[in-house]
Structures are given as C-alpha cells and as structure tokens.
Amino acid sequence: MARRPLPRILSNGGAQLARSRELARTAADSATDVLQPLLTIGRGLGRLASAARHRWTETPKDRRGALLFLVASVVLVVALMPYGPLLAAVALMAAAAWHGRDRTPPPPEGPDDTQAKRLSSLYEALVPYFSLAEDPDPLYTHGGSWEKAFPAYEFDDSGRFAHLVVHYPAYFTDGEAAARARIEHLLTAKAGRGREYRFTWDEEANHLTLTVLEPLPTDIAAQRFVTAPGETVLGFTDPGRVQRTLPLTHGEERRDVPPVVWRTGVRSTEPHLLVLGRPGTGTSTLLRSIALQALHHGGDLLIVDGGGTGEYACLTGRDGVLAVECGLTGVLTGLEWAAQETERRLITANRARQEGEPPPEDTRRPLWLLVDRPSAFAHLSGAEGREDPQSLLQVPLRHGRAAHVTVVVADQLDALDTLGDAVRQHTRARVVLGAAGPDELAAALGAAPQTTPVDQVPPGRGYARLGTGPVHRLQVPATPDPYDDATSDAHRRAVLALLPPRTTPADGEHVPDAPDAPALPDVSEVPPAAVADGPAADGAPEPGPATEPVTPVAPKTVPTLAAPDAEEEAERRREKKSVPTLIQP
C-alpha cells in the first residue's frame, strides 16, 4: 500500500513553527507597546474601584448615609462648576494612571554580593594563566577588577554560572590544545561540577564563551521514526547542532527533537558503524534500536551475540532475522556465509551491469550484520585453534557498501586495541556511550568533543561522530530487552509493537499427524513368496526363532513388502508425510 505523504507541518519540521512563534511574539510585543497607556489607565481604574469598595465595606452602617450625602454633594458641586466634569475626568485619569503604574522594582544593576564574590574568585584563578610580567597594561592582575575581563555573564537560580564570556589577552596561546584544555578544566571546576559545558573560542576577538548545556531527554522510547530507507536514527542531540528535527510522540505529547541520522547505502561515506562503551552504558540498546529500524525498512539481519546474555532473544525467529548466533561454531558459519554472500552480490551485480541490465533484486536488499562483542570469541577461537571471527568481517567491511551490506560492531571501550585492523579502519561512523575521559573520547572518535564530559551519565548517553564531521552529544532512544524483568511496561509494549511477526523456520514446522492406517492383517495370511529374501535392513532386528512373534507387515495398500532403500524411504516420508512402510524381518 502506498504511503500517505506527511503533512507539511511535520515534514518541514520546526522551522515553520519557530518562524510562526517568532511572528506571533513580535506582534504581541508591538500591540503591548501601542496599548500600554490604555492598559495602565485600565489597571489604575480597577485598583481605584477596589479601594473604593474596600472603604465602603469598612465604613460602619450608621455612617454610610453621611458618606453618601458627602459624595453626592461633591458630585453636585463639580457638576455646577464651569468645566467641572472635564476637570473631574482629567483628575480621575491622572489618578488612575498613577495607581496603575508598574510597581515592580527594577532589577539590581550588576551582580549581588554572592555573584560578585564568585566573579572575583574566578578572576583571581585566571590571573596565572592570562598574565605576563612583561605586559605594561595587564588585563589580569592580582587584586584587579573583573569588569573588563567578563563583559557578559548570567547566573541561574542556584547562583551558579549559566553563561559567561571571558575576555583574554591577545598573547595567550589559544591555538594550542593543551592551553585550551587547562582553561576549560579551570572554568569547569569554578563554574560547578556535575554539569556539561560548551566552550566556544573566538580567536579573532579573543573571547571565550562558556555555555551550560541542558540535559538531553531520556524519556524518548522506541517508536517509528519519520525517516527514508537508508536512514537510521542513532539518537538525539542538542538543538541547533543539526539542521533537522523529527516529530516524536511521548504519551499524548508531540514534540520535535533534533536527531543524529546515520545514512547507509551505496552513496554513504560512512557505511559501517562502531559502537564502544562499558557494560551497562547502552550498547546493546543501540543495536536493538538499529535492528528494529532496519527490519522496518525491509532489511535482513544476522546477529552475533558475543555477550551470551540473551539480549537479542526477542528477535529470534522474526521475519527478516536470518539468525541470532551465540556459539562459536554458529558465529563462524554465519559470518562465512555473509562473506560469501557479499562476494556473490558483487559478482552478480557486475555481470548485470556488463549486460546493461539493472542488478537483481536480491542483490539490492539490505543485509545487516550486527556483531556484539566480537572480542569475546578471540580467546575461544584461539583456544580451539580456529579462525578468529573478526577476520571473516574483512570482506563485508571492504566491499559492503557496493553490495548493500552494512556492518555494525559493538564492543567494550577497553577492547578497542583488540579489534581487528579491518574493523578499526572501515568503521568511520563512531559512537561512544557512557562516561569516558577526553583522551579516551579523542582516541575512539578521532576528535575531542567541544563539551566537557561528566562522571555520571544515564544509560544510552554518549557522543557520536560520523566520518570527519563534528562530535555530537547523543542520547539513544530507550529500547530495552522486552523479556527483561527490569523493563517497564511502557517500554516493553513499545518494543513489542515494533517487532515484526514471528516466523517458524522450515526445520521446525509442525507436521500434522498421519491419518489412522487400516488394520494390519495377520501375518499368517501373507504368502511366503512375499517375504524379503535379502538381509535385514539397517537397524532392523535379527529374526528370532519360529515361535517368536514377528513384526507386523505394511498395510495391504502397499504392493510389496520388500525392504526399500533407506534414501528412497526417507524421500517418500518427506513427500507423502504418511505412515512409513514396516519391514518384515
């Protein structure tokens, strides 16, 4: 069935929504500026009326008559005076304007005492890094003023920095990574640990901007993402870091979230993915999310579970899942088949192009190899003297893009050096999950992130880098194992709803019971000539004495009772699926 096009409000994303909100906000601000005098007078009239009603309520009942007489006298005198009503109206408007003015106290100019102490402390901490003895007019000196050093700053409700601009001298070596790292480490310690910061260096203006990053959403569950075939959502990142948003559903709430999209296929520059992380950081969760998206777009999956914990048992027997291998023999067999399948696809597609025809459909169907912890099989294969499964990934990694074969490898961060050269060279898309130091992130991703990593992160939280692009913060959508007892009901239902229907393999098909065979005749009615003359068939009991009971013969529908050949017997059993012929000993 053809897919219905998405509404423009969903396909164009948050750009139109943001533009509409900006226009509405601008119109509201303009209308407020124009109608500000009327709003002030109306607010003042309301306050005067409230004061008059409060005064009338407080007046004793025995004095209310006199008060009414006094008010009526004043009104009569004003009405009889020349220009009395006009002057009364002007006085009333002036009083309303005075009482309706904005009484909110203006915000204090400059920081308070606590904020000033924090700024002064940070200034003193930066003096050893931003000062030289030869500088005739130093910007940073002990006991100096911090106003010129910090041109802009903001504090949050807790009194910590939310935004800070640091002006540093021109002779500071801001082009050296080590010098930058020292300043960033100092600002992180002074601004408050436990939060993530982004540092933006403006080398032309000699400005360093510190921005506190909001935590990424961790409540996004697995669901159908609005993506095209060949696009895989790895997770979600900060707004403004990518030029695209995805409409998501969270309960009854709908929102647009910027994703990190990994593109695969023949035109992809990063056809394979490497996921690294320590136990419990969400590497298996990311592989399950990728598997569900690949199955949704009609791909075939071969899963290798090196952890042996049954994380992918929910995918066993599903439509599109070729196998889920946990043992060394099955892993070697499956990866060897994947290598041969890659070569077959290349040869078949090449022959079709030489003949001027499009490649066959079976060569264009995506094939995914999800390999979790291949380093776990290295010791087993070495102990048994067998081939390392990583060597079988060389052909799919080198030629997988042209053959529509995608390889996703997940392993522990400490096992990066134990991975094969082919895995490290051909997996240009990288994801690191969990807490990791700057050096570990730089070694795994090829570049250090622009944000400061923290020690405590939720599962599925990390960084992603696609090829030579920038490093993005990443939060993987929650895709837990639905068979795990610790999984919540909402996440379990979300994952089970995305699983394709279960298909039983051909070897496990249930064969219906054969119909009841007719009653076997008495052996005394069988002619002696019908008994087999040759030796007994393999596995048949040796004939006993004449007094022993003999095995019943086949039904009368069988023309002869001669023992058939074993292969013919097995073939006839598979074709007819009926009661096999019984052999007369």
Side-chain angles (χ1 to χ4, degrees):
M1 183 176 64
R3 297 177 59 184
R4 297 179 59 186
L6 291 172
R8 293 188 61 186
I9 192 66
L10 296 180
S11 60
N12 293 345
Q16 293 184 354
L17 293 176
R19 192 181 304 110
S20 301
R21 287 194 294 264
E22 187 64 26
L23 292 176
R25 189 180 299 108
T26 303
D29 294 342
S30 301
T32 303
D33 294 339
V34 173
L35 301 176
Q36 184 64 32
L38 296 179
L39 296 176
T40 302
I41 293 175
R43 185 167 54 247
L45 290 175
R47 292 177 180 176
L48 291 175
S50 177
R53 184 169 57 254
H54 182 68
R55 179 62 181 273
W56 175 261
T57 304
E58 292 181 349
T59 303
K61 294 183 179 181
D62 56 346
R63 296 183 181 181
R64 291 181 180 180
L67 181 61
L68 287 176
F69 179 75
L70 178 60
V71 172
S73 302
V74 172
V75 171
L76 180 61
V77 170
V78 169
L80 296 177
M81 288 179 58
Y83 305 104
L86 180 60
L87 295 177
V90 172
L92 180 62
M93 294 299 103
W98 174 257
H99 287 280
R101 71 187 186 279
D102 189 7
R103 301 180 182 180
T104 303
E109 297 182 359
D112 55 15
D113 295 339
T114 304
Q115 296 174 355
K117 290 180 180 180
R118 185 179 290 271
L119 290 170
S120 178
S121 174
L122 180 60
Y123 175 83
E124 292 292 337
L126 291 174
V127 169
Y129 301 92
F130 289 154
S131 63
L132 288 177
E134 297 81 4
D135 190 357
D137 186 15
L139 180 62
Y140 289 83
T141 58
H142 291 289
S145 177
W146 52 263
E147 282 79 2
K148 295 182 179 180
F150 306 139
Y153 52 85
E154 293 180 8
F155 292 89
D156 56 11
D157 297 336
S158 61
R160 297 194 296 179
F161 288 106
H163 179 77
L164 179 66
V165 178
V166 179
H167 180 54
Y168 57 88
Y171 51 76
F172 175 71
T173 56
D174 52 3
E176 299 180 1
R180 288 189 177 191
R182 288 194 298 268
I183 300 301
E184 293 176 0
H185 179 74
L186 174 63
L187 292 178
T188 302
K190 293 297 183 180
R193 300 184 182 273
R195 300 186 298 175
E196 290 186 88
Y197 302 94
R198 173 174 287 116
F199 296 97
T200 305
W201 292 83
D202 187 357
E203 300 178 1
E204 296 181 355
N206 298 326
H207 282 171
L208 170 60
T209 303
L210 178 145
T211 306
V212 180
L213 299 177
E214 296 293 334
L216 294 177
T218 58
D219 55 352
I220 300 177
Q223 54 189 281
R224 296 294 185 203
F225 301 119
V226 184
T227 55
E231 294 182 346
T232 303
V233 177
L234 299 179
F236 304 94
T237 185
D238 299 308
R241 302 297 295 175
V242 294
Q243 300 178 357
R244 178 178 178 180
T245 57
L246 285 181
L248 301 180
T249 302
H250 178 63
E252 298 181 354
E253 179 185 359
R254 294 182 180 272
R255 53 183 174 179
D256 293 341
V257 182
V260 178
V261 179
W262 171 44
R263 292 175 175 83
T264 58
V266 294
R267 292 179 176 84
S268 174
T269 57
E270 302 87 20
H272 308 295
L273 177 68
L274 176 61
V275 182
L276 299 172
R278 293 182 173 85
T281 56
T283 55
S284 301
T285 297
L286 178 56
L287 260 64
R288 272 191 299 269
S289 177
I290 294 174
L292 294 177
Q293 297 181 59
L295 292 174
H296 174 63
H297 291 300
D300 293 331
L301 267 68
L302 174 61
I303 302 175
V304 174
D305 185 8
T309 57
E311 293 283 344
Y312 309 97
C314 61
L315 298 171
T316 303
R318 300 288 178 176
D319 187 13
V321 180
L322 302 179
V324 179
E325 300 293 347
C326 302
L328 179 59
T329 303
V331 169
L332 291 175
T333 303
L335 295 182
E336 184 178 359
W337 171 85
Q340 296 176 358
E341 174 66 12
T342 304
E343 295 175 352
R344 185 196 67 83
R345 291 188 175 199
L346 292 175
I347 295 174
T348 304
N350 186 29
R351 290 177 180 175
R353 294 189 185 95
Q354 290 179 357
E355 295 176 0
E357 298 180 357
E361 184 65 26
D362 60 342
T363 62
R364 293 182 295 174
R365 183 178 176 86
L367 175 61
W368 292 74
L369 305 180
L370 305 183
V371 185
D372 191 1
R373 290 195 63 189
S375 60
F377 295 104
H379 177 71
L380 296 177
S381 59
E384 299 182 6
R386 307 178 70 175
E387 186 178 8
D388 189 356
Q390 295 189 51
S391 61
L392 299 175
L393 293 174
Q394 184 174 0
V395 174
L397 287 171
R398 290 181 179 273
H399 309 286
R401 180 174 60 178
H404 294 271
V405 179
T406 304
V407 180
V408 180
V409 179
D411 214 318
Q412 294 188 7
L413 184 60
D414 300 335
L416 177 60
D417 297 335
T418 62
L419 296 176
D421 294 337
V423 175
R424 288 181 294 177
Q425 293 175 2
H426 296 281
T427 52
R428 295 170 50 85
R430 301 287 181 91
V431 172
V432 177
L433 299 179
D439 296 337
E440 293 177 327
L441 292 173
L445 301 175
Q450 295 182 351
T451 60
T452 55
V454 294
D455 297 333
Q456 300 294 332
V457 294
R461 175 69 177 82
Y463 296 89
R465 189 188 186 203
L466 304 179
T468 58
V471 180
H472 299 282
R473 287 204 308 166
L474 182 72
Q475 179 63 48
V476 178
T479 315
D481 182 11
Y483 297 160
D484 190 0
D485 296 337
T487 303
S488 63
D489 293 338
H491 288 168
R492 181 181 293 107
R493 289 193 300 267
V495 175
L496 292 177
L498 299 178
L499 290 174
R502 189 182 296 276
T503 56
T504 306
D507 295 340
E509 289 183 355
H510 175 69
V511 180
D513 297 335
D516 296 338
L520 297 179
D522 190 0
V523 69
S524 59
E525 299 179 1
V526 181
V531 180
D533 296 332
D538 296 338
E542 294 294 331
T547 58
E548 293 181 1
V550 295
T551 306
V553 295
K556 291 183 179 180
T557 55
V558 181
T560 61
L561 297 178
D565 185 69
E567 296 181 358
E568 296 179 359
E569 174 97 10
E571 183 67 19
R572 185 161 55 82
R573 289 183 183 180
R574 289 193 294 268
E575 293 178 356
K576 296 184 178 181
K577 295 182 181 179
S578 61
V579 179
T581 303
L582 300 178
I583 302 176
Q584 174 70 27

Short mmCIF file of all heavy atoms in Angstrom, two decimals, residues 134-159:
data_model
loop_
_atom_site.label_atom_id
_atom_site.label_comp_id
_atom_site.label_asym_id
_atom_site.label_seq_id
_atom_site.Cartn_x
_atom_site.Cartn_y
_atom_site.Cartn_z
N GLU A 134 55.93 40.92 31.59
CA GLU A 134 56.34 41.93 30.62
C GLU A 134 55.19 42.77 30.10
O GLU A 134 55.40 43.71 29.33
CB GLU A 134 57.05 41.27 29.44
CG GLU A 134 58.34 40.56 29.81
CD GLU A 134 58.09 39.17 30.37
OE1 GLU A 134 56.89 38.77 30.38
OE2 GLU A 134 59.04 38.50 30.80
N ASP A 135 53.97 42.46 30.47
CA ASP A 135 52.81 43.19 29.96
C ASP A 135 52.73 44.56 30.64
O ASP A 135 52.60 44.65 31.87
CB ASP A 135 51.54 42.39 30.23
CG ASP A 135 50.33 42.97 29.52
OD1 ASP A 135 50.47 44.03 28.86
OD2 ASP A 135 49.24 42.37 29.61
N PRO A 136 52.81 45.68 29.87
CA PRO A 136 52.76 47.01 30.51
C PRO A 136 51.37 47.35 31.04
O PRO A 136 51.25 48.12 32.00
CB PRO A 136 53.18 47.96 29.39
CG PRO A 136 52.82 47.23 28.13
CD PRO A 136 53.00 45.76 28.41
N ASP A 137 50.33 46.84 30.42
CA ASP A 137 48.96 47.13 30.86
C ASP A 137 48.21 45.80 30.98
O ASP A 137 47.42 45.43 30.12
CB ASP A 137 48.26 48.06 29.86
CG ASP A 137 46.89 48.50 30.35
OD1 ASP A 137 46.62 48.33 31.57
OD2 ASP A 137 46.10 49.00 29.53
N PRO A 138 48.45 45.05 32.03
CA PRO A 138 47.86 43.71 32.13
C PRO A 138 46.35 43.79 32.37
O PRO A 138 45.85 44.65 33.10
CB PRO A 138 48.59 43.08 33.31
CG PRO A 138 49.02 44.25 34.15
CD PRO A 138 49.29 45.37 33.18
N LEU A 139 45.66 42.87 31.73
CA LEU A 139 44.22 42.75 31.94
C LEU A 139 43.90 41.96 33.20
O LEU A 139 42.89 42.21 33.86
CB LEU A 139 43.57 42.09 30.71
CG LEU A 139 42.06 41.88 30.74
CD1 LEU A 139 41.33 43.21 30.85
CD2 LEU A 139 41.60 41.12 29.48
N TYR A 140 44.79 41.05 33.53
CA TYR A 140 44.59 40.21 34.72
C TYR A 140 45.74 40.46 35.68
O TYR A 140 46.91 40.21 35.36
CB TYR A 140 44.55 38.72 34.33
CG TYR A 140 43.30 38.32 33.59
CD1 TYR A 140 43.19 38.52 32.21
CD2 TYR A 140 42.23 37.74 34.25
CE1 TYR A 140 42.05 38.16 31.53
CE2 TYR A 140 41.07 37.37 33.58
CZ TYR A 140 40.99 37.58 32.21
OH TYR A 140 39.86 37.22 31.54
N THR A 141 45.42 40.98 36.83
CA THR A 141 46.40 41.22 37.89
C THR A 141 45.76 40.83 39.22
O THR A 141 44.53 40.89 39.38
CB THR A 141 46.82 42.70 37.95
OG1 THR A 141 45.65 43.51 38.16
CG2 THR A 141 47.53 43.11 36.68
N HIS A 142 46.58 40.45 40.15
CA HIS A 142 46.08 40.10 41.47
C HIS A 142 45.51 41.34 42.14
O HIS A 142 46.16 42.39 42.24
CB HIS A 142 47.21 39.51 42.32
CG HIS A 142 47.65 38.16 41.86
ND1 HIS A 142 46.89 37.03 42.00
CD2 HIS A 142 48.80 37.77 41.25
CE1 HIS A 142 47.53 36.00 41.52
NE2 HIS A 142 48.70 36.42 41.04
N GLY A 143 44.27 41.21 42.59
CA GLY A 143 43.58 42.34 43.20
C GLY A 143 42.98 43.29 42.20
O GLY A 143 42.50 44.36 42.58
N GLY A 144 42.98 42.94 40.92
CA GLY A 144 42.43 43.82 39.90
C GLY A 144 40.91 43.74 39.82
O GLY A 144 40.25 43.05 40.61
N SER A 145 40.36 44.43 38.82
CA SER A 145 38.91 44.49 38.62
C SER A 145 38.51 43.51 37.53
O SER A 145 39.18 43.38 36.50
CB SER A 145 38.49 45.91 38.22
OG SER A 145 37.11 45.94 37.96
N TRP A 146 37.40 42.83 37.79
CA TRP A 146 36.95 41.80 36.84
C TRP A 146 35.98 42.35 35.80
O TRP A 146 35.54 41.62 34.91
CB TRP A 146 36.26 40.67 37.60
CG TRP A 146 35.17 41.14 38.54
CD1 TRP A 146 35.27 41.36 39.87
CD2 TRP A 146 33.82 41.46 38.18
NE1 TRP A 146 34.08 41.81 40.39
CE2 TRP A 146 33.17 41.85 39.36
CE3 TRP A 146 33.09 41.44 36.99
CZ2 TRP A 146 31.83 42.25 39.38
CZ3 TRP A 146 31.76 41.82 37.01
CH2 TRP A 146 31.14 42.22 38.19
N GLU A 147 35.57 43.62 35.84
CA GLU A 147 34.55 44.14 34.92
C GLU A 147 34.99 44.05 33.46
O GLU A 147 34.20 43.69 32.58
CB GLU A 147 34.21 45.60 35.27
CG GLU A 147 33.29 45.75 36.47
CD GLU A 147 34.03 45.61 37.78
OE1 GLU A 147 35.28 45.42 37.75
OE2 GLU A 147 33.39 45.69 38.85
N LYS A 148 36.25 44.37 33.18
CA LYS A 148 36.72 44.31 31.80
C LYS A 148 37.00 42.87 31.36
O LYS A 148 36.93 42.58 30.17
CB LYS A 148 37.99 45.14 31.65
CG LYS A 148 37.79 46.63 31.86
CD LYS A 148 39.09 47.38 31.64
CE LYS A 148 38.90 48.88 31.84
NZ LYS A 148 40.17 49.62 31.63
N ALA A 149 37.29 42.00 32.28
CA ALA A 149 37.62 40.62 31.91
C ALA A 149 36.37 39.81 31.59
O ALA A 149 36.43 38.89 30.77
CB ALA A 149 38.39 39.93 33.05
N PHE A 150 35.22 40.15 32.20
CA PHE A 150 33.98 39.41 31.98
C PHE A 150 32.93 40.38 31.44
O PHE A 150 32.15 40.96 32.20
CB PHE A 150 33.50 38.76 33.26
CG PHE A 150 34.53 37.88 33.93
CD1 PHE A 150 34.68 37.90 35.30
CD2 PHE A 150 35.34 37.06 33.18
CE1 PHE A 150 35.62 37.10 35.92
CE2 PHE A 150 36.29 36.26 33.78
CZ PHE A 150 36.43 36.28 35.15
N PRO A 151 32.87 40.60 30.12
CA PRO A 151 31.91 41.57 29.58
C PRO A 151 30.47 41.12 29.67
O PRO A 151 29.56 41.95 29.63
CB PRO A 151 32.36 41.73 28.12
CG PRO A 151 33.12 40.48 27.81
CD PRO A 151 33.76 40.05 29.08
N ALA A 152 30.20 39.82 29.76
CA ALA A 152 28.82 39.33 29.84
C ALA A 152 28.79 38.12 30.75
O ALA A 152 29.71 37.28 30.71
CB ALA A 152 28.28 38.96 28.45
N TYR A 153 27.74 38.01 31.54
CA TYR A 153 27.60 36.89 32.46
C TYR A 153 26.13 36.75 32.83
O TYR A 153 25.36 37.72 32.81
CB TYR A 153 28.45 37.09 33.72
CG TYR A 153 28.25 38.41 34.41
CD1 TYR A 153 27.22 38.60 35.33
CD2 TYR A 153 29.07 39.50 34.11
CE1 TYR A 153 27.02 39.82 35.95
CE2 TYR A 153 28.88 40.72 34.73
CZ TYR A 153 27.85 40.87 35.64
OH TYR A 153 27.65 42.09 36.23
N GLU A 154 25.75 35.52 33.16
CA GLU A 154 24.40 35.21 33.64
C GLU A 154 24.51 34.14 34.71
O GLU A 154 25.40 33.28 34.65
CB GLU A 154 23.49 34.73 32.50
CG GLU A 154 23.17 35.78 31.46
CD GLU A 154 22.27 35.22 30.36
OE1 GLU A 154 21.78 34.07 30.53
OE2 GLU A 154 22.06 35.93 29.36
N PHE A 155 23.57 34.19 35.66
CA PHE A 155 23.53 33.22 36.75
C PHE A 155 22.17 32.53 36.74
O PHE A 155 21.15 33.14 36.36
CB PHE A 155 23.78 33.90 38.10
CG PHE A 155 25.17 34.44 38.26
CD1 PHE A 155 25.48 35.74 37.86
CD2 PHE A 155 26.17 33.66 38.81
CE1 PHE A 155 26.75 36.25 38.02
CE2 PHE A 155 27.45 34.16 38.97
CZ PHE A 155 27.75 35.44 38.57
N ASP A 156 22.15 31.28 37.17
CA ASP A 156 20.89 30.57 37.28
C ASP A 156 20.29 30.78 38.66
O ASP A 156 20.79 31.57 39.47
CB ASP A 156 21.09 29.07 36.98
CG ASP A 156 22.14 28.44 37.88
OD1 ASP A 156 22.55 29.09 38.87
OD2 ASP A 156 22.54 27.29 37.62
N ASP A 157 19.21 30.08 38.95
CA ASP A 157 18.52 30.27 40.22
C ASP A 157 19.35 29.80 41.41
O ASP A 157 19.16 30.28 42.52
CB ASP A 157 17.19 29.51 40.19
CG ASP A 157 16.25 30.05 39.13
OD1 ASP A 157 16.42 31.23 38.75
OD2 ASP A 157 15.37 29.30 38.67
N SER A 158 20.24 28.84 41.15
CA SER A 158 21.07 28.33 42.25
C SER A 158 22.31 29.19 42.51
O SER A 158 23.08 28.88 43.41
CB SER A 158 21.52 26.89 41.95
OG SER A 158 22.30 26.84 40.77
N GLY A 159 22.51 30.26 41.74
CA GLY A 159 23.65 31.13 41.93
C GLY A 159 24.90 30.72 41.19
O GLY A 159 25.95 31.36 41.37
#
